[in-house]
Amino acid sequence: MTVAAADPTATPGRTAMANQTKEDIENKITWATGNYGLIYFIRPVAQYCEAQTPILKFFSDKYNWRNTAL
């Protein structure tokens, strides 16, 4: 493997590499569904928790991760 293949500098190569990376991430997250989980501790009055909650909801909805609130 050459350096150019490992780290392309031309736009088409960088686009292809970005698409492959995105696909790899999507596949890994899909595989992890049911095998792994996220634990999210929240303090309802904390602004950081309020900001993070919709992001985690989007993630769980997009990848069909079960959301269980205790």
Side-chain angles (χ1 to χ4, degrees):
M1 177 183 280
T2 66
V3 172
D7 190 19
T9 56
T11 300
R14 292 189 82 62
T15 300
M17 186 174 180
N19 289 339
Q20 182 63 50
T21 300
K22 180 181 176 186
E23 184 179 324
D24 291 345
I25 291 169
E26 297 273 337
N27 289 339
K28 186 64 85 171
I29 292 171
T30 300
W31 171 84
T33 302
N35 296 312
Y36 292 92
L38 296 173
I39 299 174
Y40 176 50
F41 296 94
I42 184 172
R43 182 173 172 213
V45 296
Q47 66 180 353
Y48 301 108
C49 294
E50 289 177 11
Q52 191 67 32
T53 299
I55 296 168
L56 290 171
K57 180 169 178 5
F58 173 80
F59 176 89
S60 65
D61 290 346
K62 179 176 180 177
Y63 295 108
N64 199 29
W65 280 44
R66 188 176 59 170
N67 183 355
T68 304
L70 299 176

